[in-house]
Amino acid sequence: GSVQASLEAVVVKQLRADGSKLNSAGREDMDVRMLGGGRPFILEVHNPRAALPTAEECTAMEAELEAADDGSVTARGIHVTDHDHYHAMHEGSAEKEKVYSAVCWSEKRLTAADVQMLNAVKNMVIQQATPVRGLHRR
C-alpha cells in the first residue's frame, strides 16, 4: 500500500474522519524507497468527528503505525498543526540543498591519478532533466 493509506488506517480511524490528503515536503517517485530520517509531512484530515488528539493519543498512533505492516511506514512526532506550518514546510523544501551519491563505472581501468582527480571534485553542479514520467508534477 501507499504511505497515505498506512497513515489513514491509523489517523482517520482515530479521528473518525471521512478521509485525508497527504502533503509532504518534496516528493518521491513511486518506485523509490525513502531512506534516512524521512521527510516532513502534513496529513490533512477531512471532517474529523472526534476531538483533537492529545499528546498521548498521538504517541499511541505512532506506535500503532509502526506495529502495522511490519513497520514499513513509521512517523515520529505526530501532532496537531495549523495552516501556517503547511506553508512553512513547502517553502523550506524548495530551498533544501540535496546531496546525492552514485555508483559509477568506467570502460577503461582507472589509474591512481584518475581516482585522485575524481576524489578532488567538490560541489559538482548536476544538470538533471525531468523524466517524462515526472512532467505531470511540474
Side-chain angles (χ1 to χ4, degrees), residues 18-136:
D18 291 338
S20 70
K21 178 181 178 191
L22 179 63
N23 300 282
S24 65
R27 61 156 185 84
E28 289 293 336
D29 291 331
M30 290 175 57
D31 58 347
V32 175
R33 185 171 171 218
M34 181 67 219
L35 300 175
R39 70 176 69 246
F41 70 89
I42 293 175
L43 188 68
E44 185 180 318
V45 179
H46 301 154
N47 195 26
R49 288 180 282 287
L52 292 177
T54 64
E56 293 79 18
E57 289 169 329
C58 289
T59 300
M61 285 190 280
E62 291 176 22
E64 184 179 345
L65 183 62
E66 189 164 350
D69 301 323
D70 298 324
S72 61
V73 175
T74 61
R76 293 186 317 261
I78 292 178
H79 62 277
V80 177
T81 191
D82 59 30
H83 209 262
D84 290 341
H85 285 94
Y86 172 84
H87 290 295
M89 178 182 70
H90 284 290
E91 286 171 7
S93 67
E95 299 167 2
K96 185 175 191 300
E97 182 176 304
K98 298 176 181 167
V99 177
Y100 294 92
S101 57
V103 175
C104 302
W105 62 273
S106 173
E107 291 181 351
K108 74 170 196 140
R109 186 178 214 69
L110 297 179
T111 65
D114 293 330
V115 172
Q116 184 177 7
M117 179 197 66
L118 291 169
N119 285 334
V121 174
K122 302 289 183 222
N123 298 321
M124 178 183 289
V125 176
I126 298 174
Q127 301 214 352
Q128 177 179 334
T130 300
V132 173
R133 62 180 164 48
L135 286 175
H136 70 279

